[in-house]
């Protein structure tokens, strides 16, 4: 007997899959797994377990607001040009330390 793990989609789809396997006499046990919930995607169960900046002379961390440091990933940031006062708003998948 082989275990087959599939994502649960709906009762109708699950029933069709189980009927097909039974009709073909396949030696398969189907295990339907729940999909990801929004809570799993957006919420961390351990929000304070993240790497902190270890650079004593970091130029980025003192300029940040709130309880974050330059090791944060996926930041949205704003940079103002010192010459023309133009504003650039960017987003990065890398950490602030790597990006700036």
């Amino acid at each position: 007997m082989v275990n087959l793990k599939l994502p649960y989609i709906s009762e109708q789809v699950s029933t069709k899959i189980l009927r097909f396997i039974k009709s073909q006499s396949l030696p398969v046990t189907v295990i339907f797994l729940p999909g990801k919930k929004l809570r799993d995607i957006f919420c961390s169960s351990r929000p304070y377990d993240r790497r902190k900046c270890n650079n004593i002379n970091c130029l980025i961390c003192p300029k940040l607001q709130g309880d974050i440091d330059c090791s944060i990933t996926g930041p949205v940031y704003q940079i103002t040009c010192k010459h023309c006062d133009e504003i650039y708003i960017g987003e990065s998948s890398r950490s602030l330390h790597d990006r700036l």
Side-chain angles (χ1 to χ4, degrees), residues 6-20 30 32:
L6 296 173
Y8 178 83
I9 297 172
S10 69
E11 188 65 35
Q12 184 180 13
V13 172
S14 300
T15 304
K16 286 183 179 182
I17 291 171
L18 291 173
R19 282 187 190 148
F20 177 79
V30 180
F32 292 103

Side-chain angles (χ1 to χ4, degrees), residues 39 58 70 72:
R39 182 181 63 200
C58 184
C70 67
I72 189 170

Side-chain angles (χ1 to χ4, degrees), residues 3-4 14 22 24 29 33 37 46 59 62 64 68 71 81 83 86-87 91-92:
N3 289 330
L4 176 63
S14 300
K22 190 173 183 178
Q24 301 298 314
T29 301
L33 302 173
K37 298 176 180 73
R46 301 179 70 154
L59 299 174
L64 299 176
I68 59 173
S71 65
C81 178
H83 301 290
E86 284 287 322
I87 294 175
E91 181 179 10
S92 178

Side-chain angles (χ1 to χ4, degrees), residues 1-99:
M1 207 52 141
V2 175
N3 289 330
L4 176 63
K5 295 179 182 180
L6 296 173
Y8 178 83
I9 297 172
S10 69
E11 188 65 35
Q12 184 180 13
V13 172
S14 300
T15 304
K16 286 183 179 182
I17 291 171
L18 291 173
R19 282 187 190 148
F20 177 79
I21 290 172
K22 190 173 183 178
S23 71
Q24 301 298 314
S25 301
L26 299 173
V28 174
T29 301
V30 180
I31 301 169
F32 292 103
L33 302 173
K36 286 200 177 253
K37 298 176 180 73
L38 288 176
R39 182 181 63 200
D40 299 334
I41 296 169
F42 293 115
C43 298
S44 172
S45 61
R46 301 179 70 154
Y48 301 107
D49 289 354
R50 61 181 174 87
R51 184 175 65 91
K52 294 284 187 184
C53 177
N54 295 323
N55 187 349
I56 296 169
N57 299 320
C58 184
L59 299 174
I60 300 169
C61 288
K63 296 179 182 179
L64 299 176
Q65 299 172 354
D67 186 32
I68 59 173
D69 62 20
C70 67
S71 65
I72 189 170
T73 55
V76 176
Y77 56 92
Q78 175 180 317
I79 299 173
T80 305
C81 178
K82 291 181 181 179
H83 301 290
C84 65
D85 291 330
E86 284 287 322
I87 294 175
Y88 173 77
I89 297 175
E91 181 179 10
S92 178
S93 61
R94 300 183 297 174
S95 70
L96 272 177
H97 182 74
D98 293 340
R99 179 70 181 102

